[in-house]
């Protein structure tokens, strides 16, 4: 029988244990923390390498250091993600959440949620964080209760709506915090993707690489109605969102698509900070190789090199994930 230890405190555990007897951590669920996988504040200045004080300012040059939320990372081996503020935005209004359900040695499901706060609304970063937290928790609860990935995806979207709606101020309904949402549930039965808005999911599988999602934008609607890409792009507000998550949005079911279990590949879930520069599955696949952590880091780096004009979030999941337990690069 394979040795098992608590990922939090390292104490030995039995394979049949549900919780660590030492620290109480669930051994059947690993997830990013509620509030986001925020990194620790830097100890040295990004500008002059001077010491950073407890308030987050450099003791040598006085520069305020980037907030932890400006760059968030996580790596669970079978799934990894990076969210970066980019080069132009003053804050990171994207967020991401992830969970691995089941024993670390034999996970049953991987759940991913990425949200992009709508920049024209108030507290867009709070909307994105609230939505990923609510959706992830509901999807995991549903899976653990025995619901299938489709039902769990729909329930997760509803939970995000309910949570973000509560952020709205009655005095400014037109500026209600809002965001896009894309989720993915990978199990032995395949991959289920749900979305509202224009955050995307791609399937990277050689010649079968493709974009799984279709944007909820005016541009996409015009193309679906028969206009060419050029004609649709020429319309005013062509890339304005047609659907989003927020108090001023019309609640509805998410779009849902699936990938069958007999089609190996790599799932990439991302915000528009990536696909603005790498819009096709082929262009993303050309820069995606190695472990999930490497794929997420290199695609984020590529978006930064190409301009970094928006917040960038990338999460990668190789499928089937049972064969990718190591966090190291191949």
């Amino acid at each position: 029988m394979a040795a098992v230890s608590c990922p939090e405190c390292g104490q030995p555990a039995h394979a049949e244990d549900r919780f660590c007897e030492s620290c109480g951590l669930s051994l059947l669920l690993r997830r990013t923390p509620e509030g986001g996988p925020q990194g620790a504040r830097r100890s040295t200045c990004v500008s002059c390498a001077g010491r950073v004080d407890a308030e987050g300012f450099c003791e040598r040059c006085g520069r305020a250091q980037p907030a932890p939320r400006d760059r968030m990372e996580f790596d669970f081996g079978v799934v990894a993600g990076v969210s970066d503020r980019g080069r132009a935005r003053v804050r990171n209004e994207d967020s991401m959440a992830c969970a691995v359900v089941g024993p670390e040695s034999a996970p049953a499901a991987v759940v991913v949620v990425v949200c992009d706060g709508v920049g024209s609304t108030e507290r867009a970063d709070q909307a994105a964080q609230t939505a990923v937290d609510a959706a992830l928790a509901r999807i995991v609860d549903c899976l653990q209760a025995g619901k299938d990935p489709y039902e769990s995806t729909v329930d997760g979207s509803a939970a995000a709506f309910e949570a973000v709606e509560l952020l709205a101020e009655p005095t400014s309904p037109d500026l209600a915090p809002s965001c896009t949402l894309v989720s993915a549930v990978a199990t032995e039965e395949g991959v289920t993707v749900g979305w509202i808005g224009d955050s995307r999911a791609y399937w990277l599988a050689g010649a079968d690489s493709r974009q799984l999602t279709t944007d909820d934008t005016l541009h996409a609607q015009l193309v679906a109605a028969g206009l060419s890409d050029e004609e649709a792009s020429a319309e005013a507000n062509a890339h304005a969102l047609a659907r989003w998550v927020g108090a001023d949005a019309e609640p509805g079911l998410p779009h849902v698509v699936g990938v069958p279990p007999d089609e190996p590949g790599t799932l990439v879930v991302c915000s528009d900070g990536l696909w603005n520069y790498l819009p096709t599955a082929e262009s993303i696949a050309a820069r995606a190789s190695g472990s999930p952590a490497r794929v997420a880091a290199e695609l984020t780096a590529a978006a930064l090199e190409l301009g970094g004009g928006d917040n960038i979030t990338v999460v990668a999941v190789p499928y089937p994930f049972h064969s990718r337990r190591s966090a190291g690069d191949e």
Side-chain angles (χ1 to χ4, degrees), residues 269-282:
V269 183
C270 65
S271 65
D272 57 358
L274 176 68
W275 65 254
N276 278 336
Y277 298 106
L278 303 174
T280 66
E282 292 75 16

Side-chain angles (χ1 to χ4, degrees), residues 279-299:
T280 66
E282 292 75 16
S283 63
I284 291 177
R287 294 172 178 263
S289 63
S291 69
R294 182 174 175 181
V295 170
E298 294 199 348
L299 288 174

Side-chain angles (χ1 to χ4, degrees), residues 98-241:
C98 171
V100 180
V101 182
E104 184 175 8
S105 59
V110 173
V111 182
V112 173
V113 184
V114 168
C115 290
D116 178 358
V118 177
S120 59
T121 67
E122 292 182 339
R123 294 173 284 135
D125 55 336
Q126 188 178 358
Q129 189 60 58
T130 298
V132 297
D133 287 339
L136 184 78
R138 181 70 64 83
I139 292 172
V140 169
D141 286 348
C142 287
L143 292 173
Q144 292 180 324
K147 288 190 175 182
D148 64 35
Y150 174 82
E151 291 179 289
S152 303
T153 297
V154 171
D155 281 3
S157 173
F161 257 105
E162 294 164 5
V164 176
E165 189 173 24
L166 295 176
L167 300 178
E169 297 286 352
T171 55
S172 55
D174 295 338
L175 297 175
S178 57
C179 63
T180 67
L181 180 148
V182 57
S183 67
V185 179
T187 70
E188 290 186 344
E189 287 72 43
V191 178
T192 302
V193 173
W195 76 96
I196 294 172
D198 65 354
S199 293
R200 293 182 177 179
Y202 293 88
W203 189 249
L204 309 183
D208 294 324
S209 296
R210 59 194 183 274
Q211 181 181 329
L212 296 174
T213 55
T214 303
D215 298 341
D216 278 320
T217 60
L218 174 62
H219 176 274
Q221 292 177 339
L222 293 173
V223 170
L227 270 65
S228 67
D229 178 74
E230 183 177 9
E231 291 170 332
S233 298
E235 292 290 325
N237 299 318
H239 293 283
L241 288 173

Side-chain angles (χ1 to χ4, degrees), residues 90-110:
V90 297
R91 62 181 178 180
N92 188 358
E93 296 179 336
D94 285 0
S95 198
M96 59 183 178
C98 171
V100 180
V101 182
E104 184 175 8
S105 59
V110 173

Side-chain angles (χ1 to χ4, degrees), residues 40-70 85 90:
R41 189 177 289 279
R42 297 177 62 90
S43 61
T44 57
C45 177
V46 295
S47 178
C48 70
R51 181 180 174 183
V52 176
D53 66 19
E55 301 300 320
F57 292 89
C58 177
E59 293 180 347
R60 181 187 299 169
C61 70
R63 177 174 176 173
Q65 301 304 298
R69 202 176 189 288
D70 286 353
R85 188 188 69 179
V90 297

